[in-house]
Amino acid sequence: MIRLFLTIQILMLGAAGFAQQKRTDFLVSYTIKSKGNELMGYKTRAGKIVIPAQFIPDFGNDTLYERTFVVKPKAGLQGIDRTGKVILIPFIYDNGPDYMQEGFFRFVENSKIGFADENWKKVIPAVFDFVEPFKDGVAKYTLGGHKIMDGEHWYWSEGYENGYINRFNERFKKVHELKAGVREAWTNKGQHVLLDKKGKIVKVFGK
């Protein structure tokens, strides 16, 4: 069941779900046997190997246009381009790559978490120990803290700084609930502002 779910996640995030423009020069997957194990790689439709077989089959897309998620033995889940170069390491959620929410998904770098857009461009640097997905323009973050297991699930606890971040990489120490498409918020510097439902500052109080 986990393998099936992960496969579905990769297919969703690695193909049309991330708005890749389809090309006629796409690569196709192939498999080989190596030391009793089956490995997958990618080649042109003419049969020229572009990415040597090194990934676990059944997890990647059969066709590769611009980028896709693959699982490499020992290295785990990673996002690669059509040359085989690792673009990013996705944050794992529900046994698969993080969901796209409000145009962003989480990635991991040096044990920290950041956000990438639908083109896999890292738009918010990986500096957070934990950060939730975006919702109504803001995402709750934590610096410091640690993971606590609760059966098969886990949650993040404590930390020396908690707050919110918007898609423009601006931080807020407090935000109110969204009402009529806007919400009050206070930046980390104490500035009182008004945010729209996309997290953009539309008014600065006191000015």
Side-chain angles (χ1 to χ4, degrees):
M1 180 62 71
I2 291 177
R3 171 171 290 196
L4 174 61
F5 186 83
L6 180 55
T7 301
I8 293 173
Q9 279 290 86
I10 290 174
L11 290 174
M12 291 175 61
L13 297 183
F18 273 22
Q20 295 186 106
Q21 182 178 359
K22 292 185 180 290
R23 302 162 52 157
T24 58
D25 61 338
F26 59 82
L27 305 179
V28 295
S29 65
Y30 73 95
T31 59
I32 64 169
K33 289 285 187 179
S34 176
K35 298 180 180 179
N37 297 316
E38 191 174 33
L39 295 175
M40 181 188 70
Y42 289 93
K43 61 184 178 180
T44 65
R45 288 187 292 169
K48 180 182 178 181
I49 293 177
V50 178
I51 303 176
Q54 56 190 297
F55 310 115
I56 299 176
D58 302 327
F59 290 114
N61 291 310
D62 291 333
T63 55
L64 198 169
Y65 291 96
E66 296 290 348
R67 51 196 174 268
T68 190
F69 286 114
V70 292
V71 176
K72 190 173 183 179
K74 297 183 180 181
L77 186 62
Q78 52 188 220
I80 63 170
D81 64 18
R82 56 185 291 112
T83 70
K85 179 182 178 182
V86 177
I87 304 174
L88 52 72
I89 304 299
F91 177 78
I92 304 298
Y93 183 77
D94 279 347
N95 298 312
D98 192 35
Y99 294 103
M100 174 76 72
Q101 296 200 50
E102 299 191 10
F104 297 93
F105 70 101
R106 291 169 289 181
F107 72 93
V108 178
E109 190 172 275
N110 298 321
S111 300
K112 302 291 184 178
I113 306 173
F115 285 96
D117 64 16
E118 61 182 8
N119 295 312
W120 293 21
K121 179 181 179 182
K122 300 174 182 178
V123 293
I124 297 179
V127 297
F128 306 105
D129 290 286
F130 184 71
V131 62
E132 296 179 3
F134 273 95
K135 181 179 179 181
D136 296 326
V138 295
K140 189 175 182 179
Y141 74 83
T142 301
L143 299 180
H146 56 278
K147 179 189 295 186
I148 295 180
M149 298 302 300
D150 183 14
E152 295 182 355
H153 305 283
W154 60 270
Y155 61 93
W156 201 261
S157 178
E158 300 180 354
Y160 62 85
E161 180 179 319
N162 295 279
Y164 299 82
I165 187 171
N166 64 9
R167 65 182 60 220
F168 309 104
N169 203 17
E170 297 169 321
R171 298 186 187 185
F172 306 89
K173 62 182 179 180
K174 182 180 180 181
V175 298
H176 282 179
E177 291 295 322
L178 193 67
K179 295 182 179 180
V182 294
R183 73 168 91 214
E184 289 184 79
W186 286 260
T187 69
N188 279 12
K189 296 181 179 180
Q191 192 173 43
H192 187 191
V193 299
L194 195 67
L195 307 179
D196 64 14
K197 62 182 179 180
K198 292 186 177 181
K200 182 179 180 180
I201 296 176
V202 293
K203 180 178 180 179
V204 178
F205 292 98
K207 285 190 176 182

